Amino acid sequence: MAMMNVCNGIAYVYSGGQSTRITDKFFIAIGTGYLFNIIPLPVVYMVILIIVFSFLLSKTKFGTYVYAIGGNREAATLSGIKTTRNYAITYVLCAALAAFAGVLTASWLATGQPTAGDGMELNAIAASVIGGASLSGGIGSMLGTLGGVFLLQIITNIFNLVGLASFYQQIAKGIIIIAALLLNRAIDAKK
């Protein structure tokens, strides 16, 4: 969170708080293009990333280590897992994916906006929790998170269709997140 605030501040300083129009057609095509003039490229990227990270988390030692560290860092360290190294790798992967998401957003909007993506970190956490990931760690899956993304987007679309103002949507999403966390905690308590 601290680094996020630092980077936000740098973006505001660099841009002067102003949007910058992007005119490079190749760059814009990264987020708005189509594969075979049928499938939007962001959908292609999503499918590839889900496959890669599902494999990485379920079929590799690194994935096993990530779940173990998330479940109990101290136990993972005592069992010989290099927790600091795996934390670093995980943070680098997260940063690379966040950068890629930023490129896609800028490409899709055809502008560089210092405020684009503000608040999206909470949507990501909400989608993960709704999809079954435990905030206490060690539990979750890519497909569950994908389901959480779809459910959260359906809820947002319903709010838009009924004309609910955006600030009320934030309140409603916050309540949904709290409900998902309480449900998550109740499930964890039964274990």
Side-chain angles (χ1 to χ4, degrees):
M1 291 289 192
M3 195 63 200
M4 179 183 69
N5 286 331
V6 169
C7 290
N8 279 344
I10 291 170
Y12 283 115
V13 169
Y14 181 77
S15 67
Q18 301 297 314
S19 298
T20 302
R21 189 163 187 251
I22 299 171
T23 57
D24 184 289
K25 292 184 189 283
F26 176 76
F27 184 81
I28 293 171
I30 292 170
T32 61
Y34 287 84
L35 180 65
F36 308 122
N37 289 326
I38 298 171
I39 306 168
L41 286 178
V43 173
V44 174
Y45 306 143
M46 178 187 69
V47 170
I48 290 170
L49 288 172
I50 287 171
I51 291 169
V52 167
F53 281 94
S54 290
F55 177 81
L56 185 70
L57 289 172
S58 65
K59 304 291 184 192
T60 66
K61 274 197 241 182
F62 174 73
T64 304
Y65 293 165
V66 167
Y67 280 114
I69 293 167
N72 187 333
R73 183 178 182 172
E74 186 177 337
T77 302
L78 292 174
S79 67
I81 296 172
K82 297 177 182 172
T83 54
T84 304
R85 177 176 170 260
N86 286 291
Y87 258 100
I89 292 169
T90 304
Y91 279 119
V92 168
L93 286 171
C94 286
L97 291 170
F100 182 62
V103 167
L104 284 179
T105 301
S107 171
W108 182 61
L109 296 173
T111 60
Q113 297 180 12
T115 59
D118 281 354
M120 289 298 189
E121 64 279 354
L122 293 178
N123 285 341
I125 292 168
S128 297
V129 170
I130 290 170
S134 172
L135 287 181
S136 59
I139 299 171
S141 71
M142 290 298 297
L143 291 179
T145 300
L146 180 64
V149 167
F150 282 135
L151 184 60
L152 196 59
Q153 192 57 47
I154 289 168
I155 291 167
T156 301
N157 287 343
I158 290 169
F159 289 159
N160 289 333
L161 288 172
V162 298
L164 190 63
S166 64
F167 41 87
Y168 289 119
Q169 288 185 27
Q170 288 179 324
I171 294 169
K173 283 182 186 177
I175 291 169
I176 291 167
I177 293 169
I178 290 169
L181 288 172
L182 291 174
L183 181 62
N184 190 312
R185 180 165 285 183
I187 290 169
D188 285 347
K190 286 185 179 181
K191 292 181 180 181

